[in-house]
Amino acid sequence: MSDNEEIHSHDGFDTLDHQLVYVYAPANAPDETSTRPAKRRKVAKVEALFSGNAPVHTLKFETLLNGLESPECVALRQETFKRAWSKTEAQIQSILDEANEDTLGEVTAFVDGTKKPGSVAARVPTGFIVTGPNISSHSLLFKQLSTRLKTEINGPTVVLRSNDASNLKAVLKQLIRDVTNQRPGDCDEKGLYSDQDGRKLLNYDLEILHGYVKAHGSLAVVIAIQDSEAFDSGLISELINLFSSWMDRIPFVLLFGIATSLDLFHERLSRSASRLLDGVQFDVEQSSCLLERIFQSVVAGSDAPLRLGSVLVSSLMERQHDHIQSVQSFIAALKYAYMCHFYGNPFSWLCDDTLTGNNLPNLIRPHHLEVIKTLPSFQKMVDVLIKREQLTRAKTLLKDDKALIQEIEKSQESRKRSITQLLRAMSLLSSSSPEPVDKIELYVTAFQGALAESDFVKRVLDSIKRMDPDDLVTFIKALSNCIENGSAEMNLVGWGDEEDELLGAIMGIYSKVSALAMDSAKTGNPIRSSYAIHSKGVRTTVIAQRVQLSYENSTLTEQDKEFTALVDCLTGRLQECFSQPGNPQELFLNEVWLYDWTIPHKSIFTPRPREAIELALHTPYRYLSCDCCEYVEGLSSTHPATAILYQMYLETGSLINIFDLWSAFFEMLGGGEEQKCDERVALVMFYRGLADLKSLGMVKQSKKKADHLAKVAWKGL
């Protein structure tokens, strides 16, 4: 598809190029159809739709809990979903708008620099945009690039794709059609397709584009080739040679999207074509970085309305990496998770932070409380109370509805507090890690409840023990900066005022370590902790021409011991900070705000066409939902012809006799002695059903016997 939709005028497109049949209608022939009355279109329904008089059917969530859910809760669920996804979608769109901003600015400046009125470039100005291997994400970049260039340069912009480039003629047709359709009505486009002598130009003649440039005063004609590796190398060389010959009349600017490397692309071009290019390379932010930014903001962000569980996130990332999918596919999967949660969870409206404690008693009904008592999180909470020998509290929650409602109100506050602590620990860990941290993997580890014992924490603590005083001072500065300012990626504000004790202890360690570093600089004696010094040293002694090795303990100075104590104090504080957040999956009512169900995503985003086709042919009534089909599995005369033949196909061997199959089929349709079905009609249905099975790849003509079919596929294999 081209960048412009084919809804505008296609003047100059000669339909005779692809027409297979021609009808000759003489001009002097009598018009027999003119005497017939014209049919009047029934436009009453259409006019009613556009006038607003037609009834409007809005999408409404289904009532859950076997119809016991109140209309207020249904409406609140739907409204909560709309607010939550609108907020999330706005954040995603803001990140997408900011994505590739540097590249877009550089490319726009490059195109602006090529606009020199009155001068003719000796070579074709060319931009090589190295986009990376994720081809599925290139459409977003070139869409943004096309929109930016159309608004900021004086000239048309066309994006070409490999499916538009069967040959040179097709590319030129597509190019001219897209250019002339960008500004329809500004000039006489019919005149563009006529030569000065009045002759009609071919719709792939660049003279049409020359006339358009002269009529509009265009200073640049930008041609962006999105997937240049998919183009034939000879075709690209022909285009470059052709555009170069027209540079004195049409100011072409070429942009190539390169997924591999500039060297490999250069090798594919001919030498003559390479000499005609004046190129500049542009590097693009990889889609993995963009995906991580979106994930940090809308999934791991402090204001995310819905949290995704570790199992679901791992499944989404595995599918994202294995199939090299675009960012848009991840956004679609995220929206589907929101839809599944709010559509199928009767308590999803509790995700609304605007609800207060006064509203909960009015919305929660007795059937809500009965369902809550069956949730795993409630049962786990009761088990914990029993283990702690708080039997009275456990009985109260089971019998007293008011006490359970109060516990629900408390769970809302405890959820916010626990999630905030977890996100703060994640932010501290990512900012203090000596190596770059995979933020998505860190999120999965944290929401599994395994953050304290994870390798992320071990690497941070081990790196602290090996630091010298100067490195530790720099580390503590970064740590205090994270506590005071928070994380902009996760929309997390600073928590220095709330954790003044932790911040005070860290700054106290900072002042003492700074003093030790200054003393070390003055005396020239290095200071290291006991973890950075080998505890034992090897001593070599030569006695009677024999070498003896002995071990002796390394001695630590007082400054080394003091520095080691400060390192132990800091690691202890951080270990306590990382161990403070619990497992989110163990919180009461985590089913309300934590979605971790992978089955819907596997069935929707991992298609199994063969399984679906076999199920549809085996039980067609599930898909047709018609009154004529009996709700029975197996052979039935009311099923479609293809389904009947498929059932017979399952009962046959590797070779199928066509006559036997036809006889059984005709008998099934009621073609026996009673002759309920006409034989010719049944034969047509038989051939059509066989054609369907053949197109599905289940049967083929046998080479062994002319009157037999060969079975190709077996069910379940």
Side-chain angles (χ1 to χ4, degrees):
M1 294 296 292
S2 63
D3 188 56
N4 299 281
E5 298 294 335
E6 297 185 1
I7 59 176
H8 300 293
S9 172
H10 283 197
D11 293 336
F13 180 74
D14 192 358
T15 57
L16 298 180
D17 292 341
H18 305 283
Q19 189 169 343
L20 301 179
V21 179
Y22 305 89
V23 179
Y24 174 70
N28 55 358
D31 190 3
E32 297 178 358
T33 59
S34 60
T35 60
R36 298 179 58 186
K39 293 183 178 180
R40 301 183 61 185
R41 296 175 60 194
K42 298 179 181 181
V43 295
K45 294 182 179 180
V46 180
E47 292 178 354
L49 287 174
F50 284 96
S51 62
N53 298 327
V56 179
H57 302 282
T58 58
L59 179 64
K60 185 179 180 181
F61 281 15
E62 294 292 333
T63 303
L64 303 178
L65 301 177
N66 293 327
L68 297 177
E69 189 179 16
S70 63
E72 294 82 3
C73 292
V74 176
L76 185 58
R77 238 181 340 115
Q78 185 171 359
E79 186 63 27
T80 305
F81 164 72
K82 290 181 178 179
R83 281 201 302 268
W85 179 248
S86 299
K87 177 182 178 181
T88 304
E89 191 175 26
Q91 293 177 345
I92 293 174
Q93 191 60 43
S94 175
I95 296 174
L96 292 179
D97 293 339
E98 296 175 358
N100 306 319
E101 186 64 30
D102 295 338
T103 304
L104 295 178
E106 293 175 358
V107 174
T108 304
F110 166 72
V111 175
D112 286 335
T114 62
K115 297 186 301 182
K116 297 179 181 179
S119 62
V120 178
R123 298 180 179 180
V124 182
T126 308
F128 300 102
I129 305 175
V130 183
T131 54
N134 194 349
I135 301 176
S136 57
S137 63
H138 296 177
S139 57
L140 172 63
L141 170 64
F142 280 87
K143 182 180 178 181
Q144 294 174 336
L145 186 60
S146 176
T147 304
R148 173 74 68 88
L149 292 177
K150 286 178 181 178
T151 56
E152 296 191 9
I153 69 168
N154 181 16
T157 301
V158 177
V159 178
L160 296 178
R161 299 169 182 84
S162 56
N163 53 2
D164 303 327
S166 57
N167 50 52
L168 181 61
K169 184 178 178 181
V171 173
L172 295 178
K173 284 183 180 181
Q174 189 72 46
L175 171 62
I176 294 172
R177 183 162 60 246
D178 289 351
V179 169
T180 55
N181 286 339
Q182 288 190 13
R183 298 174 63 179
D186 288 358
C187 65
D188 185 11
E189 293 187 5
K190 294 183 179 180
L192 296 176
Y193 291 87
S194 300
D195 199 357
Q196 295 179 356
D197 300 334
R199 294 174 300 175
K200 185 177 181 180
L201 298 173
L202 297 175
N203 55 355
Y204 53 86
D205 193 342
L206 287 180
E207 188 64 37
I208 301 173
L209 186 57
H210 180 215
Y212 180 91
V213 171
K214 290 173 60 179
H216 292 85
S218 302
L219 298 179
V221 178
V222 181
I223 302 174
I225 299 178
Q226 179 172 319
D227 46 352
S228 59
E229 281 90 355
F231 280 73
D232 182 66
S233 58
L235 177 58
I236 294 181
S237 299
E238 290 179 3
L239 285 174
I240 294 173
N241 290 319
L242 181 61
F243 293 155
S244 177
S245 64
W246 281 82
M247 282 297 295
D248 56 340
R249 288 156 287 178
I250 304 175
F252 285 112
V253 178
L254 299 180
L255 299 176
F256 289 100
I258 302 176
T260 54
S261 66
L262 188 57
D263 295 335
L264 293 176
F265 179 77
H266 179 72
E267 292 178 0
R268 297 178 65 242
L269 296 180
S270 62
R271 291 186 178 181
S272 59
S274 300
R275 295 192 190 99
L276 299 175
L277 298 179
D278 183 13
V280 178
Q281 179 178 344
F282 303 98
D283 294 323
V284 181
E285 180 184 11
Q286 298 301 315
S287 59
S288 58
C289 300
L290 179 60
L291 178 63
E292 186 173 285
R293 288 173 55 191
I294 294 177
F295 185 90
Q296 283 285 94
S297 178
V298 302
V299 178
S302 61
D303 54 351
L306 179 66
R307 301 291 174 184
L308 301 186
S310 57
V311 178
L312 178 59
V313 171
S314 300
S315 176
L316 293 180
M317 291 301 107
E318 181 180 358
R319 183 171 59 86
Q320 196 78 17
H321 296 151
D322 292 348
H323 301 283
I324 315 180
Q325 295 183 334
S326 63
V327 177
Q328 283 73 18
S329 64
F330 173 77
I331 297 173
L334 180 62
K335 184 175 183 179
Y336 187 72
Y338 272 71
M339 294 168 60
C340 290
H341 179 74
F342 287 97
Y343 189 86
N345 192 329
F347 303 102
S348 56
W349 50 269
L350 288 173
C351 292
D352 190 1
D353 294 333
T354 60
L355 291 176
T356 59
N358 299 329
N359 297 332
L360 289 180
N362 299 328
L363 294 173
I364 296 180
R365 305 296 172 83
H367 54 268
H368 286 118
L369 299 177
E370 293 299 325
V371 175
I372 287 177
K373 293 176 184 178
T374 63
L375 295 178
S377 61
F378 178 81
Q379 297 174 3
K380 186 175 295 185
M381 181 181 64
V382 173
D383 291 341
V384 172
L385 292 176
I386 294 175
K387 291 179 180 179
R388 296 177 180 176
E389 298 183 356
Q390 299 180 7
L391 302 180
T392 305
R393 178 62 177 168
K395 291 181 180 179
T396 303
L397 292 177
L398 290 171
K399 296 181 179 180
D400 191 354
D401 292 346
K402 292 183 179 179
L404 184 55
I405 293 176
Q406 292 177 358
E407 190 67 26
I408 294 173
E409 296 175 1
K410 293 179 181 178
S411 69
Q412 296 290 90
E413 297 298 328
S414 63
R415 182 253 298 185
K416 297 178 184 178
R417 183 170 57 255
S418 300
I419 294 299
T420 301
Q421 290 177 352
L422 189 61
L423 296 181
R424 288 173 178 176
M426 291 170 54
S427 178
L428 274 179
L429 199 55
S430 60
S431 63
S432 59
S433 177
E435 303 173 357
V437 176
D438 188 347
K439 307 296 179 58
I440 300 177
E441 185 180 353
L442 178 61
Y443 176 90
V444 171
T445 304
F447 275 77
Q448 286 176 344
L451 185 63
E453 304 298 330
S454 65
D455 293 335
F456 298 103
V457 175
K458 293 179 181 178
R459 283 197 295 266
V460 170
L461 298 182
D462 291 343
S463 65
I464 294 175
K465 293 177 181 179
R466 293 192 301 268
M467 291 181 182
D468 56 23
D470 294 331
D471 294 337
L472 191 60
V473 167
T474 305
F475 174 82
I476 296 177
K477 284 183 179 179
L479 206 63
S480 61
N481 182 51
C482 178
I483 296 175
E484 292 176 352
N485 301 325
S487 174
E489 297 178 349
M490 303 171 61
N491 301 320
L492 191 65
V493 297
W495 62 94
D497 297 336
E498 302 178 19
E499 298 287 346
D500 52 353
E501 181 181 355
L502 174 63
L503 186 60
I506 291 176
M507 296 310 296
I509 296 174
Y510 171 78
S511 59
K512 294 179 181 179
V513 173
S514 300
L516 289 176
M518 294 177 62
D519 294 341
S520 175
K522 291 180 181 179
T523 59
N525 297 324
I527 299 177
R528 292 176 295 176
S529 66
S530 60
Y531 306 102
I533 302 175
H534 295 290
S535 59
K536 292 183 178 180
V538 180
R539 183 177 180 180
T540 305
T541 307
V542 179
I543 301 177
Q545 297 181 352
R546 293 183 180 181
V547 178
Q548 295 181 355
L549 300 178
S550 60
Y551 294 93
E552 60 179 5
N553 294 328
S554 301
T555 58
L556 296 176
T557 64
E558 293 297 327
Q559 291 179 332
D560 292 339
K561 294 179 181 179
E562 182 181 357
F563 181 66
T564 303
L566 293 175
V567 169
D568 292 337
C569 181
L570 180 61
T571 54
R573 285 283 185 175
L574 291 180
Q575 183 68 48
E576 181 183 355
C577 180
F578 295 142
S579 303
Q580 188 175 5
N583 188 353
Q585 299 177 358
E586 296 179 355
L587 296 177
F588 176 51
L589 286 184
N590 65 80
E591 297 88 352
V592 170
W593 48 268
L594 185 64
Y595 181 77
D596 200 16
W597 199 19
T598 60
I599 295 178
H601 282 73
K602 289 182 179 179
S603 61
I604 296 299
F605 292 96
T606 307
R608 295 182 293 273
R610 180 172 176 177
E611 181 180 343
I613 291 173
E614 291 178 351
L615 180 61
L617 293 176
H618 187 65
T619 56
Y621 53 84
R622 294 185 178 181
Y623 292 82
L624 298 178
S625 300
C626 56
D627 299 332
C628 60
C629 293
E630 296 180 1
Y631 285 81
V632 294
E633 296 184 3
L635 287 170
S636 175
S637 60
T638 61
H639 289 174
T642 308
I644 296 175
L645 288 175
Y646 176 73
Q647 293 295 334
M648 297 178 178
Y649 160 88
L650 294 178
E651 299 173 359
T652 61
S654 58
L655 291 178
I656 306 172
N657 188 296
I658 299 178
F659 180 76
D660 294 343
L661 186 64
W662 154 248
S663 301
F665 177 78
F666 186 55
E667 186 71 23
M668 175 59 63
L669 289 183
E673 297 179 357
E674 300 180 1
Q675 289 288 331
K676 295 180 181 179
C677 181
D678 183 64
E679 185 176 359
R680 293 182 61 85
V681 175
L683 188 60
V684 172
M685 296 171 63
F686 177 74
Y687 280 133
R688 185 172 59 185
L690 278 183
D692 291 339
L693 293 181
K694 186 177 181 180
S695 64
L696 291 173
M698 295 183 178
V699 294
K700 67 178 181 178
Q701 191 67 36
S702 174
K703 295 182 180 180
K704 297 180 180 180
K705 298 182 179 180
D707 58 344
H708 281 63
L709 294 174
K711 196 172 182 180
V712 178
W714 280 258
K715 184 179 180 182
L717 296 179

